[in-house]
Amino acid sequence: MPRNRPGALRAAQQRTPGWLREPGRIRRLSPSTSAAIRHVEHESGLYEIFPGVTAVALGRCRSFFRLPGRTLYPGLADRPCRGCSLDDVTHARDVPADILAALPPRLQTEPGRLIARIDAELLRRTLPDPRAPGCPWRREASWRMRLYDGVVDPPRRRRRQRVNPGSSAGGSPGRG
């Protein structure tokens, strides 16, 4: 029986990492950026980030913008699991931003432009929520402060301070 060469044995042991074996590239991103994103997804310890989540999140944003109508209302996710939470387009927008923060600086420009287009489209096609918690002048939270579909939250009324009937205008009620 012929003997295997040492180089052939080492080549058989060296396997391609899983994040490189996954086929395909993320739509509208270059192959090198897609490979870097797949690597970040594979190595991330965050619960919301798993292999393939960036492509799913960007696809969710694209399908949201394809809906008919001039004004769109984001919907809340039915379940809080990590795959179902992408039904909320604002959460689907957060996922590429988390991936972007983990990428090396030279690979951040291409996904950064894509996220900027998503932000511009969200601001253009959704309505601002005047009752949203947070600061409306902070740019990083602007996509979260939009009117949601089916969320009814009446505006809070300010309570007027009641004046005690026994008190006089000039003094306190306990003094005589």
Side-chain angles (χ1 to χ4, degrees), residues 48 50 53-65 67 72-96 122 126 143-144 147-149 151:
E48 295 89 12
F50 52 91
V53 71
T54 305
V56 172
L58 292 174
R60 173 65 183 117
C61 290
R62 279 192 295 273
S63 67
F64 178 73
F65 295 138
L67 292 174
L72 300 176
Y73 297 94
L76 295 174
D78 294 334
R79 295 177 297 248
C81 65
R82 66 184 187 172
C84 298
S85 63
L86 294 175
D87 292 342
D88 181 4
V89 74
T90 58
H91 179 71
R93 188 260 175 235
D94 285 340
V95 170
L122 268 173
T126 59
W143 65 91
R144 290 206 165 271
L147 282 176
Y148 277 80
D149 185 26
V151 178

Side-chain angles (χ1 to χ4, degrees), residues 77-140:
D78 294 334
R79 295 177 297 248
C81 65
R82 66 184 187 172
C84 298
S85 63
L86 294 175
D87 292 342
D88 181 4
V89 74
T90 58
H91 179 71
R93 188 260 175 235
D94 285 340
V95 170
D98 293 340
I99 296 287
L100 182 70
L103 285 174
R106 65 182 177 82
L107 293 175
Q108 289 182 356
T109 55
E110 195 176 356
R113 280 190 228 124
L114 193 58
I115 291 172
R117 279 184 276 179
I118 290 171
D119 288 346
E121 190 73 9
L122 268 173
L123 290 177
R124 188 176 70 81
R125 304 245 344 243
T126 59
L127 296 174
D129 187 2
R131 300 178 310 262
C135 304
W137 57 86
R138 289 178 55 184
R139 181 163 169 74
E140 66 268 11

